[in-house]
């Protein structure tokens, strides 16, 4: 399902509401919300909007556990850290209890071991998995041609990236497939060609990894959708 928004602001508003509604139903149902964050810059307006509009909802955020779909192999205070971005844009404002923030320790000297350990604490069926998409069609840190795209058992692995930072820990296809609700956020004209390739008839996840989640909920802005042939 693809939803196209006139601009990134309206996309962020819709996405933040969707997150809050999902949190509300999960907490009402089982007293907990397992929320997996996307990295990169696209989610930041959504994180900020959620923090700005929902900061009072202690009933939600006091029962929320935060995870990540991928992390760069840098320290947690590094400008390229996905954890740092989420902390600054959202987590500090929502006052998520620190022991409920499960960051990927990707700075570990043995990232393969860190990936394995993280896979063991990562929820089997996280309530909401947020993903982004790079202009080359990667998602999480599953880049075109990556061996991780053929990983069938491990849930998190170390993987090289074609852009800086060059070493990452990423969620794998089986772990993605286990998430009941996946939302992909895409914004910007530089994503238009990759978005077209995700939804074109023919194509392959090794060329365009985001095809892995074609069936997810896609929230895209108009400029990113400009090359898609949307039947009226
Ligand atoms: C990462 C992300 C990655 C991101 C895309 C898009 O760690 O980089 O997980 O998959 O979502 O690269 O990044 P932007 O949102 O910055 O364009």
């Amino acid at each position: 399902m693809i939803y196209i928004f006139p601009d990134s602001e309206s996309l962020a508003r819709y996405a933040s509401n969707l997150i809050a509604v999902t949190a509300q139903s999960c907490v009402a149902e089982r007293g907990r919300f397992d929320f997996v964050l996307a990295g990169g810059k696209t989610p930041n307006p959504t994180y900020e909007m959620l923090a700005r509009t929902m900061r009072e909802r202690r009933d939600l955020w006091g029962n929320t556990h935060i995870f990540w779909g991928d992390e760069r192999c840098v320290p947690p205070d590094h400008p390229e850290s996905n954890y740092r971005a989420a902390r600054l844009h959202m987590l500090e404002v929502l006052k998520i209890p620190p022991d409920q923030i499960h960051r990927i320790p990707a700075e570990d000297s043995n990232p393969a071991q860190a990936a394995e350990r993280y896979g063991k604490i990562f929820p089997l069926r996280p309530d909401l998995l947020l993903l982004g998409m790079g202009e080359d069609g990667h998602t999480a840190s599953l880049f075109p041609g990556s061996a991780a795209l053929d990983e069938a058992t491990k849930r998190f692995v170390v993987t090289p990236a074609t852009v800086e930072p060059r070493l990452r820990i990423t969620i794998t296809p089986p772990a993605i497939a286990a998430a009941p609700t996946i939302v992909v956020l895409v914004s910007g004209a530089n994503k238009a060609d990759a978005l077209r390739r995700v939804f074109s008839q023919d194509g392959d996840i090794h060329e365009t990894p985001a095809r892995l989640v074609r069936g997810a909920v896609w929230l895209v802005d108009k400029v990113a959708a400009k090359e898609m042939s949307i039947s009226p």
Side-chain angles (χ1 to χ4, degrees):
M1 181 66 78
I2 305 176
Y3 296 85
I4 299 176
F5 296 87
D7 50 44
S8 55
E9 158 96 15
S10 52
L11 189 162
R13 192 171 313 111
Y14 186 93
S16 58
N17 281 325
L18 182 56
I19 294 163
V21 164
T22 307
Q24 193 139 327
S25 72
C26 290
V27 168
E29 212 171 284
R30 65 188 190 96
R32 175 172 165 146
F33 173 48
D34 287 334
F35 181 21
V36 185
L37 302 186
K41 295 181 178 54
T42 301
N44 291 339
T46 296
Y47 296 160
E48 284 169 5
M49 181 110 28
L50 197 66
R52 199 169 52 248
T53 58
M54 296 281 173
R55 61 193 310 156
E56 306 310 325
R57 294 298 305 270
R58 299 304 322 139
D59 59 317
L60 301 182
W61 315 125
N63 294 298
T64 294
H65 286 252
I66 299 285
F67 300 85
W68 277 261
D70 71 326
E71 186 55 277
R72 292 86 180 272
C73 292
V74 296
D77 57 355
H78 189 282
E80 287 292 333
S81 160
N82 287 334
Y83 159 77
R84 177 178 178 274
R87 179 172 60 79
L88 296 176
H89 290 282
M90 175 173 66
L91 302 181
E92 280 179 351
V93 176
L94 295 185
K95 297 192 181 61
I96 308 262
D99 62 349
Q100 294 174 204
I101 298 178
H102 311 280
R103 71 177 187 85
I104 302 174
E107 74 280 10
D108 191 294
S109 56
N110 186 332
Q113 224 170 54
E116 180 121 22
R117 277 200 308 269
Y118 196 74
K120 293 193 168 74
I121 64 125
F122 190 79
L124 276 177
R125 290 170 50 80
D127 296 305
L128 176 57
L129 170 60
L130 274 194
L131 289 171
M133 185 187 70
E135 53 189 86
D136 61 356
H138 78 259
T139 191
S141 283
L142 296 168
F143 286 81
S146 161
L149 287 162
D150 296 314
E151 175 58 51
T153 48
K154 290 185 187 135
R155 291 151 41 80
F156 279 79
V157 293
V158 190
T159 185
T162 51
V163 291
E164 292 298 338
R166 297 282 171 160
L167 197 63
R168 316 272 182 107
I169 289 180
T170 187
I171 193 170
T172 61
I176 290 173
T181 308
I182 301 174
V183 175
V184 189
L185 307 178
V186 182
S187 167
N190 62 326
K191 307 291 175 76
D193 179 56
L195 202 57
R196 181 188 55 73
R197 284 187 283 118
V198 167
F199 290 99
S200 64
Q201 277 302 94
D202 50 358
D204 170 84
I205 65 158
H206 295 87
E207 276 160 37
T208 311
R211 288 176 69 91
L212 276 169
V213 289
R214 278 155 60 100
V217 172
W218 287 70
L219 309 183
V220 308
D221 67 8
K222 203 168 55 181
V223 286
K226 69 175 192 284
E227 291 182 22
M228 292 181 67
S229 49
I230 308 275
S231 43

